[in-house]
Amino acid sequence: MEKFKANDNKNEEHEINYRQFNKKLELLNQILSLISDINQASDEKEIDTIRFYCTAR
């Protein structure tokens, strides 16, 4: 992977680096969204378990 050089005037190289960076950010956002969905589903399951336990008593 090429390193970003701020003063080398290679706009095409910078654009490629930005596209690669944006793809990685998009993937990271998808992973974080998936983790959030899993956590939310887990929380809802815990709430349902507590409700079941309370109503069964």
Side-chain angles (χ1 to χ4, degrees), residues 1-8 10 13-15 17-18:
M1 185 171 148
E2 297 178 45
K3 292 185 179 180
F4 183 86
K5 298 175 186 174
N7 296 321
D8 64 358
K10 293 182 181 178
E13 182 180 328
H14 294 313
E15 192 166 318
N17 286 334
Y18 282 128

Side-chain angles (χ1 to χ4, degrees), residues 30-42:
Q30 290 173 354
I31 291 169
L32 291 174
S33 179
L34 179 59
I35 290 170
S36 176
D37 291 347
I38 291 169
N39 284 336
Q40 183 177 352
S42 175

Side-chain angles (χ1 to χ4, degrees), residues 9-10 12 19-20 22 24 35 45-46:
N9 295 324
K10 293 182 181 178
E12 188 175 319
R19 278 185 263 147
Q20 290 173 346
N22 284 335
K24 290 177 183 178
I35 290 170
K45 182 172 177 136
E46 286 178 25

